[in-house]
Amino acid sequence: MSKFRPPPIKTFKESDTLTALAMCREYLLYLHDFSSTFEEAGVTSVTSYRYSNERRIKRETKPTVSVHLFSMSSMNGCMRLRNAIQGIKMMPNAAPTMTIEPIDKMTSEKSRSLGQRLEHWPSFAQLQGSSAVYYFTHDSGQVESGDTRIKAWPPVRRLEHRQSLWRNLESGVLNMVTSGHTPVDPALKLSRDGDFYRAAAGVSSIEMMLPAIWTTASERNRKTKKNDDDSLILIAERMCVAPAKFLGIDNRKGSLASGMDADICIWDPEATFVVNKNGHRLQSKYYGSIYDGKEMKGVVKQTYLRGKCVFDRDKEGTPMFLEEPRGE
């Protein structure tokens, strides 16, 4: 089998332009300089790779590759990923892992163009996308002046992008919600200056992952008059089943079937709490969570790791870690 060499992808580094930029405390101004075109170009570069005519690689000898695009943040990036996944479904012998709704109405000219591109595509065993939890819970309209805690890479974008991420999560274009956990020393966040250009990118998010996504899902359901039960199933699929399958450990993790590891979270989905108050202190050594002071829905009562209780709460609701971490 011939070796598959992906095309070179030009990357943009924030540090390349920092010396030419003045201090910026307004997030929308910062966001204007880092548009979603970089992400869209990256998705296109990966999913529409063409073989050179000189190599003369026949369809039957084309290599099979698996591609997963992390930290999707823009609606146009998701649209290009969606179209690529749909294109793979049109190819013979393709084995995508997701069921995608049909592409919106496509003209005959666009169909022919897509067909020509498919002749040069590698055979994707899997083509998937995911996004971090804070892209589903935050948008640029929520960011206050100088609040660099929210700075991530790629940046959190406008409301219409966040709404698009939810739609793509529900349809399966994005098949996982990740933590995107990238804790940063508060000193590097430059909270005193509030300079979005020079502050380090990174969000500490893993502790609030479940209540954050559940709170946002419940808020969306109230507005759209949807059933919370459907969101519970979606969260379980995107945060338990899909990650286990992606990592190749779905024979042990990801479900409560007989013979699987008994990794169980017992929680009250209707209970509310305020982050960092009254027994709900964050355990991260880096303070400054984007969820600090916010009311959340969904209180974790107990956590079991391979059948053994490792986290519990006393009668007053105070959290107790029952033993040292013992990951395998």
Side-chain angles (χ1 to χ4, degrees):
M1 181 177 290
S2 58
K3 294 183 178 179
F4 171 64
R5 296 181 180 178
I9 300 176
K10 294 182 179 179
T11 58
F12 178 82
K13 297 180 180 179
E14 291 177 285
S15 57
D16 293 341
T17 60
L18 290 184
T19 56
L21 299 173
M23 179 182 292
C24 177
R25 290 181 54 85
E26 302 305 320
Y27 187 74
L28 290 179
L29 292 177
Y30 163 78
L31 186 61
H32 177 75
D33 287 333
F34 299 99
S35 70
S36 61
T37 54
F38 297 107
E39 177 178 316
E40 295 155 18
V43 173
T44 300
S45 181
V46 170
T47 59
S48 62
Y49 172 65
R50 287 174 176 269
Y51 293 98
S52 63
N53 292 331
E54 291 78 9
R55 296 180 64 183
R56 299 179 181 177
I57 299 178
K58 297 180 180 180
R59 176 184 294 275
E60 59 268 20
T61 63
K62 288 195 300 185
T64 299
V65 296
S66 296
V67 175
H68 189 100
L69 303 178
F70 288 93
S71 298
M72 298 292 294
S73 69
S74 74
M75 55 185 178
N76 289 334
C78 287
M79 179 187 67
R80 297 188 184 196
L81 175 60
R82 177 191 181 96
N83 288 347
I85 294 171
Q86 183 65 29
I88 292 173
K89 290 185 67 178
M90 296 169 59
M91 294 177 63
N93 303 321
T97 60
M98 291 170 285
T99 301
I100 308 300
E101 298 175 1
I103 293 180
D104 296 334
K105 294 181 180 179
M106 183 184 294
T107 65
S108 58
E109 181 179 352
K110 288 183 178 179
S111 297
R112 286 195 298 272
S113 175
L114 177 61
Q116 292 171 358
R117 292 201 305 273
L118 291 177
E119 291 295 327
H120 301 279
W121 280 6
S123 298
F124 287 105
Q126 295 182 19
L127 179 58
Q128 305 171 329
S130 65
S131 194
V133 61
Y134 38 84
Y135 295 112
F136 295 99
T137 62
H138 283 70
D139 58 72
S140 60
Q142 299 170 308
V143 183
E144 297 181 359
S145 177
D147 188 2
T148 56
R149 295 176 301 174
I150 193 59
K151 183 178 177 181
W153 192 254
V156 170
R157 304 193 183 280
R158 300 188 305 274
L159 176 61
E160 54 265 37
H161 291 277
R162 179 158 73 104
Q163 293 172 335
S164 175
L165 291 178
W166 273 101
R167 291 192 297 270
N168 282 283
L169 184 71
E170 293 167 346
S171 69
V173 174
L174 302 178
N175 76 325
M176 283 195 294
V177 178
T178 64
S179 68
H181 184 64
T182 47
V184 175
D185 190 318
L188 300 179
K189 277 293 186 179
L190 306 180
S191 56
R192 181 173 298 179
D193 297 332
D195 186 355
F196 282 105
Y197 283 135
R198 292 172 174 80
V203 177
S204 180
S205 57
I206 195 168
E207 284 185 72
M208 289 292 104
M209 190 175 175
L210 176 58
I213 196 74
W214 172 239
T215 299
T216 306
S218 295
E219 292 172 352
R220 292 182 74 252
N221 291 339
R222 284 199 300 271
K223 294 178 181 179
T224 59
K225 297 182 180 181
K226 291 184 178 180
N227 194 326
D228 275 353
D229 292 345
D230 295 334
S231 293
L232 279 173
I233 295 173
L234 179 68
I235 290 173
E237 290 177 344
R238 302 294 187 254
M239 293 174 60
C240 300
V241 179
K245 185 176 295 185
F246 174 74
L247 294 172
I249 56 175
D250 50 320
N251 61 326
R252 294 177 52 198
K253 309 285 185 181
S255 72
L256 297 179
S258 176
M260 306 287 276
D261 287 354
D263 297 339
I264 304 171
C265 170
I266 298 178
W267 69 316
D268 183 348
E270 298 302 323
T272 60
F273 67 98
V274 178
V275 180
N276 267 338
K277 290 186 178 180
N278 302 326
H280 294 279
R281 295 282 178 183
L282 296 178
Q283 303 299 313
S284 174
K285 64 180 180 180
Y286 293 133
Y287 295 99
S289 169
I290 58 175
Y291 304 109
D292 196 10
K294 296 183 181 296
E295 184 176 81
M296 292 286 186
K297 183 179 178 183
V299 175
V300 175
K301 300 293 186 179
Q302 292 179 317
T303 302
Y304 288 82
L305 179 62
R306 292 185 288 279
K308 186 173 183 179
C309 185
V310 294
F311 173 83
D312 200 355
R313 292 184 183 274
D314 60 21
K315 295 181 179 180
E316 287 73 33
T318 304
M320 300 180 297
F321 291 91
L322 304 182
E323 62 174 53
E324 291 295 319
R326 55 186 185 95
E328 293 182 0

